[in-house]
Amino acid sequence: MQEEKEAVISVEDVGMQFRIPLENQESLKDYLIGFLKGKQKFRVLKALDHISFQVRKGEVMGVIGTNGSGKSTLLKLVAGALVPTSGR
């Protein structure tokens, strides 16, 4: 019977959302005024939704997908450069 190795990377039910402004602001001043008045409209972009996996010691994993599928976002989360919206 093969001994199960410990997970060195564990991603559990991770989700990542970004708020994208609907209106392009001309300047930082315009952005701040809109933000303070509560007039900023955003759309929510779900970059990742309910992603789970483990990589065990000695395993190799590849991430493939089309442009805009969330590969870089996933790698930034694993590296700790981003904090997920949900999961761990």
Side-chain angles (χ1 to χ4, degrees), residues 14-86:
V14 166
M16 187 68 193
Q17 296 180 357
F18 296 99
R19 291 177 21 161
I20 309 295
L22 290 175
E23 297 176 11
N24 197 5
Q25 301 297 328
E26 296 294 321
S27 67
L28 179 60
K29 177 183 169 185
D30 291 339
Y31 174 81
L32 289 174
I33 289 171
F35 180 77
L36 292 174
K37 288 185 176 181
K39 294 184 179 181
Q40 279 287 33
K41 304 272 191 225
F42 295 95
R43 71 179 176 95
V44 175
L45 171 69
K46 280 189 175 182
L48 301 171
D49 195 22
H50 302 291
I51 305 295
S52 297
F53 64 89
Q54 288 186 340
V55 179
R56 301 194 187 289
K57 188 173 182 177
E59 290 182 336
V60 177
M61 178 183 162
V63 181
I64 59 172
T66 59
N67 289 345
S69 61
K71 300 178 301 288
S72 294
T73 301
L74 177 62
L75 293 174
K76 288 175 186 176
L77 288 170
V78 169
L82 289 176
V83 177
T85 306
S86 62

